[in-house]
Amino acid sequence: MKTVTLDVRGMSCNHCVTSIEGALNKVAGVGQAKVDLAAGQVMVSFDESAVSLDEVKETVEEQGYDVV
C-alpha cells in the first residue's frame, strides 16, 4: 500500500468530508481515505497495482473539489 497526502481546495464542511471519503472508499484498491478539513488535505492509502494516483485524484475532482 502506498499512502499519499493530497492538497484539496474547496472543502468547507462535514458534507465535503463525507462526499470525498465515501467516493474514495468505493474505489477498488483504496484501503483508506481520511479528510483533514482544517488542513485542506486528504490522506489516501491505496494499492498501486489496482488503482493509480491519477485515478485517486480524478475521484476527488469528480466530487467537485480541486486537487493541487
Side-chain angles (χ1 to χ4, degrees):
M1 287 288 223
K2 178 176 182 169
T3 301
V4 297
T5 301
L6 305 173
D7 291 319
V8 179
R9 302 270 190 259
M11 301 184 300
S12 61
C13 63
N14 284 332
H15 171 75
C16 302
V17 173
T18 303
S19 176
I20 292 172
E21 288 180 355
L24 285 171
N25 286 320
K26 289 180 183 174
V27 175
V30 172
Q32 181 183 18
K34 181 73 176 144
V35 173
D36 183 339
L37 193 57
Q41 296 181 325
V42 179
M43 186 211 57
V44 185
S45 297
F46 62 99
D47 180 352
E48 290 181 287
S49 67
V51 63
S52 71
L53 179 56
D54 285 340
E55 290 172 300
V56 169
K57 290 179 180 179
E58 185 176 301
T59 299
V60 173
E61 291 173 347
E62 286 173 353
Q63 299 307 305
Y65 306 95
D66 296 319
V67 178
V68 291

